[in-house]
Amino acid sequence: MRHEPDVRLKAEAPGPAAAGLQGTGLAYGYVRGGPLFRGLDCRIGPGEVVGLGGPSGSGKSTLGRLLAGYLQPHEGQVTLDGGKLPDKGYHPVQLVFQHPEQAVNPRWTMKKVLEEGGGSEESLLQALGIAPQWLDRRPAELSGGELQRFCVARALGPRTRFLIADEMTAMLDAITQAQIWQVVLEQVERRGLGVLAISHDPQLLRRVCTRMMDWRGPAPEGSSGGS
């Protein structure tokens, strides 16, 4: 007999209750796999890095997509400062995927990719180790690490308020991983960026996060949900 999932997030952020990115009573599931989670509450405040670990299939990536507006919850709502997420124009919640080749138009130059996010300051590109000559290249002409640097730069556009980092540096070497996270943490400090860091690496989460979400409960049997 299939059990009902008992997945809860206890993740109250400091500050006013309405401030920040918040999910209330979220539920999401799949037709064949049943509910992935239900009654899920979470909040990410400005200027904090919230860590989310947990086993594969427990719905971490799904939660990230819900908070970024890529998916719509079957129940509950996602709000930003107490209001609805925008459905037009530049989205203030940006998601960086683990595999950057899935997130960019293969026909665009990298300069155009950055322009999609509102452009990036030269100092940010330098901090991320992006060489000027890469701007005229297309995604296939870059390595995975080089391409991910661009995806991070685009996501850190001037109008971004919250970043969902879904295994953002999992495929990168330790030096590149540290460099990218240093840049992100500087943005947190400088502009009050809020971050949800999703990772299977507990050591990384301990290093970069100000607090951890309490993600409890196994995924339903036979679930085909995301990680």
Side-chain angles (χ1 to χ4, degrees):
M1 184 174 76
R2 188 185 305 278
H3 70 279
E4 289 294 324
D6 182 19
V7 179
R8 296 187 181 90
L9 285 178
K10 294 184 177 180
E12 286 302 314
L21 181 64
Q22 184 163 327
T24 305
L26 298 180
Y28 195 86
Y30 299 91
V31 174
R32 296 183 179 180
L36 186 59
F37 49 71
R38 175 177 292 151
L40 188 154
D41 298 319
C42 63
R43 187 156 63 96
I44 306 164
E48 67 170 355
V49 183
V50 180
L52 178 57
S56 296
S58 60
K60 301 186 305 298
S61 291
T62 299
L63 175 60
R65 286 163 172 76
L66 288 171
L67 293 175
Y70 281 78
L71 297 174
Q72 294 300 313
H74 295 160
E75 297 175 12
Q77 62 178 346
V78 177
T79 58
L80 180 62
D81 295 339
K84 293 183 179 180
L85 293 176
D87 55 10
K88 295 181 180 179
Y90 186 80
H91 204 290
V93 184
Q94 289 290 305
L95 173 62
V96 179
F97 297 92
Q98 178 177 351
H99 300 289
E101 67 278 2
Q102 299 175 0
V104 295
N105 189 321
R107 297 185 295 273
W108 286 3
T109 65
M110 300 316 298
K111 181 178 180 180
K112 187 172 181 178
V113 169
L114 292 179
E115 290 173 348
E116 182 187 31
S120 297
E121 297 177 358
E122 184 176 348
S123 59
L124 177 63
L125 301 184
Q126 291 177 348
L128 286 169
I130 294 175
Q133 60 267 29
W134 296 352
L135 293 171
D136 294 324
R137 297 180 184 177
R138 287 177 169 76
E141 300 176 280
L142 299 173
S143 69
E146 292 166 351
L147 187 57
Q148 188 68 309
R149 294 169 194 259
F150 276 101
C151 289
V152 173
R154 177 180 60 179
L156 293 176
R159 291 174 288 176
T160 299
R161 295 186 53 203
F162 290 89
L163 179 72
I164 311 297
D166 187 4
E167 297 285 2
M168 179 176 69
T169 58
M171 302 299 290
L172 306 178
D173 62 82
I175 294 176
T176 304
Q177 182 182 93
Q179 183 182 24
I180 287 177
W181 273 109
Q182 181 179 351
V183 172
V184 171
L185 295 178
E186 288 172 352
Q187 295 294 307
V188 171
E189 179 70 22
R190 183 169 69 87
R191 57 193 262 198
L193 184 76
V195 179
L196 176 64
I198 302 172
S199 178
H200 288 95
D201 185 349
Q203 293 184 352
L204 171 66
L205 295 179
R206 284 194 293 269
R207 287 198 306 269
V208 305
C209 296
T210 54
R211 65 183 176 90
M212 293 288 297
M213 286 186 179
D214 180 14
W215 181 269
R216 297 179 296 174
E221 295 179 7
S223 169
S224 59
S227 61

